[in-house]
């Protein structure tokens, strides 16, 4: 109900219409008025749980992220959605791509990630086009790239299509696939929060989870 408030508005998939209906206000609030730790605490207080199926508390998952000096951190959006008969993430991305981008900006800021990825299943190529168009708009309006809204925070956002393998919905198999390897799950520990994408601290969240942020 919260996420789909404006899904039937004509043109809501475009930056201008989305912004007119309150879009990107959370980015402005987070980057201009809050510290990354305050964003994490806000998500913890909200009680938001992962919407990919496990229901693990999102803020708690974020709090586990290792923060070694001089090592990049990554946020990965799990848009693989390869469970038979599922379509919620597909619908959300198709109708509200900027809501996902907005959630990823705020989440990346909270985690200290300057490069984030949307890993999307290979059968969703038309949605990949929708996302990339929306990402281009966000770059053009200064909500992605260098020094977002003059905050000093930089973020690059990329879409990575998978090969349609069911197992890549599992977070470590997704990471393996994103690194260009066969999508096989990794042994845990270490967990992605300590050693994930390219051996660096990584958080993997579902599409709906990041939109809810």
């Amino acid at each position: 109900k919260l996420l789909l408030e404006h899904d039937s508005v004509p043109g809501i998939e475009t930056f201008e219409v989305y912004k007119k209906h309150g879009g990107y206000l959370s980015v402005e609030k987070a980057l201009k008025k809050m510290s990354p730790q305050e964003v994490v605490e806000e998500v913890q207080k909200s009680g938001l749980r992962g919407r990919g199926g496990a229901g693990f508390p999102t803020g708690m998952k974020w709090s586990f992220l290792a923060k070694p000096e001089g090592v990049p951190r990554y946020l990965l959006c799990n848009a693989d959605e390869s469970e038979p008969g599922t379509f919620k993430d597909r619908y959300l991305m198709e109708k509200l791509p900027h809501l996902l981008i907005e959630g990823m900006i705020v989440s990346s800021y909270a985690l200290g990630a300057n490069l984030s990825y949307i890993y999307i299943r290979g059968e969703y190529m038309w949605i990949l086009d929708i996302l990339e168009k929306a990402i281009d708009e966000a770059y053009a309006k200064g909500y992605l790239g260098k020094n977002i809204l003059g905050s000093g925070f930089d973020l690059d956002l990329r879409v990575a299509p998978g090969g349609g393998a069911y197992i890549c919905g599992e977070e470590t198999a997704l990471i393996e696939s994103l690194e260009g390897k066969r999508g096989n799950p990794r042994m845990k520990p270490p967990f992605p929060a300590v050693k994930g994408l390219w051996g660096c601290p990584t958080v993997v969240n579902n599409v709906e989870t990041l939109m809810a942020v």
Side-chain angles (χ1 to χ4, degrees):
K1 195 171 182 180
L2 179 69
L3 300 185
L4 298 178
E5 183 181 0
H6 302 300
D7 69 316
S8 60
V9 174
I12 195 67
E13 72 281 356
T14 66
F15 180 90
E16 295 299 340
V17 177
Y18 179 73
K19 187 81 164 60
K20 197 165 88 172
H21 286 80
Y24 289 102
L25 287 179
S26 67
V27 172
E28 295 167 15
K29 176 185 176 183
L31 271 61
K32 292 182 177 181
K33 299 178 181 178
M34 302 173 75
S35 69
Q37 184 57 37
E38 285 173 333
V39 177
V40 174
E41 290 169 0
E42 191 75 15
V43 172
Q44 287 176 322
K45 281 192 292 184
S46 76
L48 176 64
R49 290 177 174 268
R51 305 302 298 159
F56 193 82
T58 303
M60 185 182 295
K61 187 173 188 176
W62 288 7
S63 71
F64 294 155
L65 187 70
K67 297 176 181 176
E69 285 293 321
V71 177
R73 294 166 228 152
Y74 298 101
L75 171 65
L76 309 183
C77 172
N78 186 344
D80 189 67
E81 196 171 46
S82 51
E83 189 71 31
T86 53
F87 60 89
K88 70 176 181 67
D89 294 341
R90 179 190 75 194
Y91 183 86
L92 288 167
M93 290 185 288
E94 192 171 15
K95 294 289 184 179
L96 299 160
H98 281 285
L99 183 58
L100 176 57
I101 294 167
E102 181 171 10
M104 290 201 70
I105 296 167
V106 174
S107 303
S108 298
Y109 172 70
L111 297 167
N114 301 115
L115 173 60
S116 297
Y117 290 89
I118 302 170
Y119 182 93
I120 189 165
R121 65 180 294 183
E123 293 89 343
Y124 282 177
M125 292 306 288
W126 83 97
I127 297 178
L128 184 146
D129 294 337
I130 292 170
L131 289 172
E132 289 194 331
K133 183 177 179 181
I135 288 169
D136 288 343
E137 288 182 309
Y139 271 107
K141 298 295 183 178
Y143 284 83
L144 286 172
K146 300 288 185 187
N147 193 25
I148 298 171
L149 303 180
S151 65
F153 175 63
D154 304 336
L155 177 64
D156 284 314
L157 180 58
R158 300 175 187 170
V159 186
Y166 174 81
I167 193 62
C168 289
E170 194 277 330
E171 62 178 10
T172 62
L174 185 156
I175 291 169
E176 287 282 296
S177 177
L178 197 52
E179 290 179 347
K181 305 169 189 171
R182 183 170 180 160
N184 288 332
R186 295 177 178 176
M187 295 293 288
K188 293 185 280 191
F191 290 89
V194 176
K195 189 176 181 182
L197 186 65
W198 297 305
C200 299
T202 302
V203 167
V204 183
N205 282 134
N206 174 255
V207 170
E208 187 184 351
T209 309
L210 291 166
M211 285 186 165
V213 171

